[in-house]
Amino acid sequence: TPSGQARFFGGPDGRGADDTALAEALGITEEELTTARETAATAAIDQAVEEGLLTEAQGTQLKQRGLGARGFGPLGMFVEGEIDADALLAEALGVTTEELDAARETVQKDALAAAVEAGNLTQEESDLILARQAVQEYLTPRLESAYSEALTEAVSAGAITQEQADALTEQGWGTRGFG
């Protein structure tokens, strides 16, 4: 999975990886992983305040809640798509984002293999899950481009104003809203 976009919701690491397995794949303890998540969450809050995504008061309140032990939680509502959570977590772990992604991939492949062995998935289903995720890397840039083109067409047709298009562009495709 390419880095760059924050992953704030999902399993313990925002991607569904089991803590024990992810820590093992990274060659660290679960406690070290939890500490790194807390460090990354604090860094994300600090960055969000610095970039004006959160007020100082909001940042302080989020820090007081002890975010980070299980991912970014409610912080994601404010900064998803704006803060590179993977980069912050990788930095806190002392690894590259590529190494973090490789560890997550190892955990996922091991979990899929275990599910196949246990009879919970067929090998074909497991392969399709991995294929679907691989396609995502190629699909995302195309969706971003199509979104940009749609905004341009909507402005040209008078369906939205340029100011609205600019605001939507700033938010990014699919990162906000109700859909």
Side-chain angles (χ1 to χ4, degrees):
T1 305
S3 295
Q5 279 278 325
R7 304 285 178 132
F8 293 100
F9 302 104
D13 78 334
R15 297 197 179 183
D18 173 79
D19 279 354
T20 303
L22 183 59
E24 184 177 307
L26 290 165
I28 62 173
T29 66
E30 284 184 67
E31 185 177 307
E32 289 170 318
L33 179 58
T34 297
T35 299
R37 282 201 189 106
E38 292 168 353
T39 299
T42 298
I45 292 168
D46 291 343
Q47 185 178 340
V49 169
E50 185 178 303
E51 293 180 11
L53 300 169
L54 296 173
T55 66
E56 189 74 39
Q58 289 170 320
T60 300
Q61 184 178 28
L62 286 169
K63 285 180 184 179
Q64 288 172 346
R65 289 184 185 167
L67 292 177
R70 304 298 297 167
F72 288 88
L75 176 59
M77 293 184 297
F78 297 102
V79 300
E80 186 174 10
E82 302 292 332
I83 303 292
D84 188 344
D86 285 346
L88 293 173
L89 180 57
E91 182 178 338
L93 289 165
V95 300
T96 66
T97 53
E98 291 79 12
E99 291 167 324
L100 178 59
D101 285 342
R104 287 174 169 154
E105 188 175 316
T106 296
V107 169
Q108 181 182 33
K109 285 181 179 179
D110 289 350
L112 287 171
V116 169
E117 190 170 314
N120 296 326
L121 283 178
T122 66
Q123 186 61 54
E124 182 179 342
E125 290 169 328
S126 174
D127 292 344
L128 284 174
I129 289 169
L130 294 173
R132 186 174 295 115
Q133 290 173 344
V135 168
Q136 207 52 43
E137 181 177 341
Y138 302 95
L139 182 60
T140 299
R142 287 179 173 87
L143 292 173
E144 291 169 348
S145 177
Y147 185 72
S148 178
E149 290 173 23
L151 290 174
T152 300
E153 290 177 23
V155 169
S156 295
I160 63 172
T161 67
Q162 184 60 52
E163 292 77 24
Q164 290 170 320
D166 292 344
L168 291 169
T169 298
E170 190 173 314
Q171 288 181 353
W173 76 276
T175 58
R176 302 282 196 290
F178 300 102

